[in-house]
Amino acid sequence: MHQAPRKKRRAQAPGANTIWTTLVILAVLVGSLLSIWRPWQHPQTPTALWTENFKFLNLGLDLQGGLRVTMKVDTANPTADDVDKAKTILENRVNALGIAEPTVQRQGNDRVVIELPGIKPEEQDKARKLIGTTAKLTFHIVPDAIAQKTDAEMKVSELGPAVATGDIILNAQAQADSGGRWAVSFTTTPEGSKKLETLTRANVGKRMAIVLDNQIKSAPTLQSVLSTNGQITGSFTSEEATDLALVLKSGALPVPLKEVEVRAIGPSLGADAIKSGAIASLVGIGLVFVFAFYYYGLYFGLVIAVGLLFSGLIIMGILGGLGATLTLPGIAGLVLTIGAAVDGNVISFERIKEELRRGKGIRGAVNNGFNHSFWTIFDVNLSHLLSAFALANYSTGAVKGFAVTLAVGVIASAFSNLVFSKWMMTAMAQRRQFTAPDWAAFKHPTIDFMKPAAMITTASVALAIIGTVIVGVKGFNLGVDFTAGTSYTVATKASVEVEDVRSKLETADIQGVDPKAAVIQRSVTPGIEGAQFTVKVGEIADTTSDQLRKTLTELDGGQVTQIEKVGPTVGKELTDKTLKAVILGLFLILVYVAFRFDVIFGVGSVLAVIHDVGIVMGLYSLLGLEFTISTVAAILTLIGYSLNDSIIVSDRMRENLKLMRGKPFREIVNASINQTLSRTIMTSVTTMLPLVSLFFLGGSVLRDFSLILLVGIIIGTYSSIYIVAPMVVFYNNWRATHKPNSKKPAKA
């Protein structure tokens, strides 16, 4: 019986795009645009992305100005219920200030963090006072023995026990009498009115002292029975009476709280930060675009350019959709992801160029190039994610924003590199033949990198040891993040110098402020007029802080744009968290690299990172640059980026161990380094271009941050060749000599 021929399924050509890939990319694009736009959140202004009522991206306090206060319970072993009640009461007080989008969050077991975005500098002191007031109100019947004393002569210790507390108060408001004297009138709760009536009925004709936070406010004589309302009199100003009414309405804090950290940022500093960050980002993107089109030509460069824009949309979409907050260090994270996005393309494109040199057509080269580079890109991006995780796990505030932004950027870049770039290259390859410039210097390098390895490695390790010794002897210029004290950021005219600021402090002669011990640093940012100073002093009282702030505003064009106050407990905890973050980051990377490659690769990579950090930190200490929490973020980022080249070289070594079986290990390592030389150099260059922009245009905060990474990436580029590779050669030669009947190994 004749069987009808079966229809053959049409085979897909190698390197062709599938409909599913196209649909996934389209879905990600539409989802990102919707997450940025979010029209359901602002139906009245659906076409606007930035209005008073809707902003597609939340800005941190360092970008829009505001106040951040960390309050710590000032008693031992507070209960979770007490801390939760304190948080609720502080929320009520903050909401009464009328500030848009304030946040009050519990932190740990004994802290509450309050953030007030956009609050004006002149209102910040009032907000701090309201936040820190316990508002413990008590009523006492004055004993007959001291009834003849005036209110000022009485002491709280002389009064009897409290007969009622602020719990009886339902509402309170400030009022002025016919003589213009301010007082606070209050109404009581139903239970409170019964208690107050019973109390006052039994004591008509006697004096009743009203005590607020252990201070006698007044002790009037009870003329009649009180029940549903009462009045607190005293020497109040209008503002004091209003503030007292506010805290009485919100209720007393169940436990006393004290300030352990204050960061007050003026709107002008935030505006300058946005301006410098935006300029640095745009220039960084521009430099990358110019480099991409020059080095890779039109078609490859076009993929990099469009891929960057695609990555940017995904990043904005994720940050907007999650309601994440963009901070100044977060802008640095975004700029770094520009380098990371191009970095992945470079890895793939250099593989494609290798395939083209072997005579393959563009379609086959694209397919093979992306397939071979997949795991290298995956490994590189995962190392960045591990560093970001370690940082996010032990940080708060702006630096946590950096870690989140960096992690989001890495995820977006990985998707763009592995999916979108391959899809776009494949789509172009199906329509026409094209290639990329093949620079002669990188065609077939045959450099014997292992020949001078002993000398270069020894010198470099010695440099790392010297750097570590410098840190041990000189130490760091620790910022206020790590030491108890207060730091002021002051904007002045360009003519003001460091000695002018110190002279002003000496002339003012403020008690508790030593002008000679004050750390004063000056910086100038291109594109922003005038100079900016950081003035750091030790722990000072609030009254002294006010005096110092007024003194600094007397400088030519002086304006205090930021105040940071950190207590000793916060500095100590931050130091502890920093060490834990670095150790966790190194441990995670060691485990992963050892799992993906070999233990010796993992150990070599971690030693290379320690070597890189030792040199960079020695330079940082030698230059006397301020060591802040942003420095920690830079170190952890450096750990991730230092592994880039190590992973690229290690990945090629692993591949060549199979292809060059039987060859001396030294020859395999040399071949691997030469084959990946263009990638090693180009990935470093593309990562450094945005950092150069940050260094010159990103402002004083990001300048030191970018310096660490610039120097670190330069050192990391050669440490992958002269730290990791020699260690791998030495280890394998040693292992070969300890095998029975082993041949004499090649020298490293």
Side-chain angles (χ1 to χ4, degrees), residues 289-430:
F289 277 15
V290 170
F291 171 80
F293 282 107
Y294 175 75
Y295 183 79
Y296 283 112
L298 175 62
Y299 294 101
F300 283 70
L302 190 63
V303 173
I304 290 177
V306 177
L308 271 181
L309 296 176
F310 185 72
S311 298
L313 274 176
I314 298 176
I315 292 168
M316 291 296 108
I318 295 175
L319 292 177
L322 293 176
T325 300
L326 182 65
T327 62
L328 184 56
I331 291 178
L334 287 177
V335 175
L336 281 173
T337 58
I338 295 171
V342 180
D343 190 24
N345 280 327
V346 167
I347 293 171
S348 297
F349 290 177
E350 291 300 317
R351 271 289 194 172
I352 292 171
K353 287 168 71 174
E354 284 183 33
E355 297 294 327
L356 290 171
R357 288 189 201 114
R358 292 173 184 149
K360 288 198 174 179
I362 186 64
R363 289 175 66 176
V366 167
N367 190 51
N368 285 1
F370 275 100
N371 288 342
H372 282 302
S373 62
F374 177 88
W375 283 110
T376 307
I377 295 172
F378 182 87
D379 292 333
V380 165
N381 282 290
L382 190 61
S383 69
H384 296 328
L385 277 180
L386 292 174
S387 296
F389 171 77
L391 184 60
N393 199 47
Y394 290 108
S395 64
T396 57
V399 177
K400 191 158 193 170
F402 165 79
V404 171
T405 306
L406 183 62
V408 168
V410 167
I411 293 169
S413 298
F415 180 83
S416 178
N417 294 152
L418 298 173
V419 181
F420 178 79
S421 292
K422 182 180 180 181
W423 174 84
M424 186 172 176
M425 285 287 284
T426 303
M428 291 193 303
Q430 287 174 330

Side-chain angles (χ1 to χ4, degrees), residues 505-583:
L505 296 181
E506 289 172 349
T507 306
D509 192 25
I510 302 170
Q511 187 175 2
V513 176
D514 183 357
K516 293 180 180 178
V519 178
I520 304 171
Q521 292 178 306
R522 182 181 188 270
S523 63
V524 177
T525 302
I528 296 176
E529 292 183 7
Q532 184 173 287
F533 290 86
T534 301
V535 181
K536 188 174 66 176
V537 297
E539 282 189 278
I540 53 177
D542 285 344
T543 51
T544 306
S545 177
D546 291 338
Q547 282 181 277
L548 183 52
R549 180 172 59 180
K550 289 174 184 175
T551 300
L552 293 172
T553 57
E554 293 171 6
L555 292 163
D556 192 9
Q559 181 186 3
V560 176
T561 56
Q562 176 173 287
I563 301 174
E564 295 180 289
K565 176 184 174 184
V566 178
T569 54
V570 173
K572 185 179 177 183
E573 288 171 4
L574 198 54
T575 303
D576 180 57
K577 286 182 177 180
T578 298
L579 290 172
K580 288 180 178 177
V582 173
I583 291 170

Side-chain angles (χ1 to χ4, degrees), residues 444-657:
H444 301 289
T446 55
I447 303 169
D448 188 356
F449 287 98
M450 292 298 100
K451 187 175 182 180
M455 181 178 64
I456 295 175
T457 303
T458 302
S460 192
V461 169
L463 195 61
I465 292 171
I466 291 170
T468 306
V469 171
I470 291 173
V471 172
V473 174
K474 190 181 177 187
F476 291 115
N477 171 24
L478 293 174
V480 74
D481 295 313
F482 294 95
T483 58
T486 305
S487 175
Y488 299 80
T489 302
V490 190
T492 67
K493 289 188 176 179
S495 57
V496 180
E497 298 293 338
V498 170
E499 288 310 311
D500 297 326
V501 179
R502 201 176 299 279
S503 176
K504 177 63 73 175
L505 296 181
E506 289 172 349
T507 306
D509 192 25
I510 302 170
Q511 187 175 2
V513 176
D514 183 357
K516 293 180 180 178
V519 178
I520 304 171
Q521 292 178 306
R522 182 181 188 270
S523 63
V524 177
T525 302
I528 296 176
E529 292 183 7
Q532 184 173 287
F533 290 86
T534 301
V535 181
K536 188 174 66 176
V537 297
E539 282 189 278
I540 53 177
D542 285 344
T543 51
T544 306
S545 177
D546 291 338
Q547 282 181 277
L548 183 52
R549 180 172 59 180
K550 289 174 184 175
T551 300
L552 293 172
T553 57
E554 293 171 6
L555 292 163
D556 192 9
Q559 181 186 3
V560 176
T561 56
Q562 176 173 287
I563 301 174
E564 295 180 289
K565 176 184 174 184
V566 178
T569 54
V570 173
K572 185 179 177 183
E573 288 171 4
L574 198 54
T575 303
D576 180 57
K577 286 182 177 180
T578 298
L579 290 172
K580 288 180 178 177
V582 173
I583 291 170
L584 178 62
L586 286 172
F587 174 75
L588 290 175
I589 289 167
L590 171 62
V591 170
Y592 180 72
V593 175
F595 169 74
R596 285 285 293 128
F597 299 98
D598 194 349
V599 173
I600 189 60
F601 283 110
V603 173
S605 297
V606 168
L607 287 178
V609 168
I610 294 171
H611 158 273
D612 299 347
V613 172
I615 294 176
V616 171
M617 289 297 93
L619 179 65
Y620 210 78
S621 175
L622 189 65
L623 295 176
L625 301 175
E626 188 177 22
F627 193 96
T628 65
I629 190 64
S630 293
T631 311
V632 179
I635 293 170
L636 281 162
T637 309
L638 172 61
I639 290 172
Y641 275 88
S642 289
L643 286 167
N644 272 19
D645 297 323
S646 298
I647 287 174
I648 290 170
V649 174
S650 299
D651 186 63
R652 184 55 69 95
M653 284 184 197
R654 181 178 59 180
E655 187 178 323
N656 282 339
L657 282 171

